[in-house]
Amino acid sequence: MSDLSSERDAWSMANCSIARTLEIVGTRAALLIMREAFFGTRRFDDFAKRVGIGEPAAAARLKELTAAGLLERVPYQEPGQRTRHAYQLTEKGRDFLPVLVALRQWGDTWATDEQGPPVVVRHKGCGAEVHAALRCTDRHDVHFEDSFVDAGPGLVRIDPDSP
């Protein structure tokens, strides 16, 4: 086991997964659209209204999230109306749920008012609250002080001799 923190100045963050994720969902509107998609929102007008953004901003964020593969457009038609499109989560989008749960959980602890959280996510099977938790691949609970940063296969090291 090596701890790369002592070598931090030799890392390039050109391949940073966090930065790449923020390029996709790094706006308030994008995160709130993803929240709404998990809450079951599907129609364009509902996304704009529930997120509290204008139609141009909603169209841009939905287009970006669709292009990134988190949402997909699916046709629907109400009786007597023209065909329209709704949005639904893809597998890639559904895999984003732990991120939103972690953000909500942090907000419930550190950013909510005295009334408490506005929503609680529950497990359908037993009704218990759903929480994000850190676990290693051997299924041990991990806390901040129990972890360290190690080299991954995509770590790019900076050549100290280059300008």
Side-chain angles (χ1 to χ4, degrees), residues 31-122:
L31 288 169
L32 295 179
I33 284 172
M34 291 302 294
R35 176 199 67 193
E36 287 304 317
F38 279 105
F39 285 174
T41 300
R42 297 194 55 185
R43 296 182 183 180
F44 174 85
D45 292 342
D46 292 334
F47 279 111
K49 178 177 71 177
R50 293 175 182 160
V51 172
I53 57 177
E55 289 186 5
R61 297 301 79 76
L62 287 164
K63 184 177 181 180
E64 292 165 358
L65 293 167
T66 300
L70 280 82
L71 298 174
E72 65 183 346
R73 285 173 34 124
V74 292
Y76 75 92
Q77 186 173 17
E78 293 179 359
Q81 299 292 318
R82 65 179 173 87
T83 300
R84 302 183 77 180
H85 287 89
Y87 295 86
Q88 67 183 23
L89 292 162
T90 62
E91 179 181 0
K92 185 176 179 180
R94 290 187 300 274
D95 278 351
F96 195 69
L97 178 61
V99 176
L100 291 178
V101 169
L103 282 170
R104 181 194 48 79
Q105 185 175 316
W106 186 90
D108 289 352
T109 302
W110 298 104
T112 192
D113 60 25
E114 62 278 347
Q115 294 175 338
V119 298
V120 177
V121 177
R122 297 194 182 275

Side-chain angles (χ1 to χ4, degrees), residues 100-147:
L100 291 178
V101 169
L103 282 170
R104 181 194 48 79
Q105 185 175 316
W106 186 90
D108 289 352
T109 302
W110 298 104
T112 192
D113 60 25
E114 62 278 347
Q115 294 175 338
V119 298
V120 177
V121 177
R122 297 194 182 275
H123 179 230
K124 283 183 182 179
C126 69
E129 287 187 38
V130 173
H131 293 280
L134 293 178
R135 290 200 178 84
C136 69
T137 55
D138 286 338
R139 306 190 75 118
H140 302 114
D141 287 341
V142 177
H143 301 281
F144 176 78
E145 60 275 359
D146 301 325
S147 65

